[in-house]
Amino acid sequence: MQVDKKALHQVAHLARLNIKPEEETQLLNDMSEILTWVGKLDELDTEGVEPLTHITEEVNVFREDKAEISISQEQALKNAAVKDSKFFKVPKVLK
């Protein structure tokens, strides 16, 4: 498949690229080669091949989300720099 200068400049505009005139010929050749290579995919027989939605067959491997007590309030506050009975005290950040 051949790419013309109009298509090259349209793609460059969409990609926000500035193309120098001396780069046009090489870019036209490169784009044509890439599109020819991608066009070879049309030669593949995909009859009966299911569409792929994920690369692997893995399913959700996360643990079940359930609440459980892992540390008591007293243990959490034991090393607090400043506390107020059962809460951490932090510096004021809003005026």
Side-chain angles (χ1 to χ4, degrees):
M1 177 178 195
Q2 290 294 331
V3 179
D4 60 358
K5 284 188 178 189
K6 181 180 177 184
L8 174 67
H9 287 287
Q10 185 176 8
V11 169
H13 172 72
L14 292 172
R16 304 296 191 256
L17 298 174
N18 293 322
I19 297 177
K20 298 175 186 171
E22 59 269 12
E23 297 175 325
E24 285 181 359
T25 305
Q26 183 63 43
L27 286 172
L28 287 169
N29 291 335
D30 290 347
M31 287 179 70
S32 294
E33 285 181 28
I34 291 169
L35 291 175
T36 301
W37 183 78
V38 171
K40 289 185 179 189
L41 294 175
D42 289 335
E43 298 173 11
L44 292 174
D45 179 22
T46 57
E47 188 68 33
V49 177
E50 290 291 321
L52 186 65
T53 57
H54 292 84
I55 285 294
T56 65
E57 303 268 335
E58 293 181 17
V59 294
N60 188 351
V61 294
F62 297 116
R63 65 173 171 75
E64 184 179 333
D65 189 17
K66 58 182 178 181
E68 53 184 54
I69 298 174
S70 60
I71 187 171
S72 70
Q73 192 173 32
E74 291 82 24
Q75 289 173 322
L77 291 170
K78 185 167 71 173
N79 291 324
V82 182
K83 59 184 174 185
D84 180 17
S85 68
K86 51 185 184 170
F87 301 104
F88 289 99
K89 286 187 92 174
V90 294
K92 187 176 182 178
V93 292
L94 299 174
K95 294 182 181 181

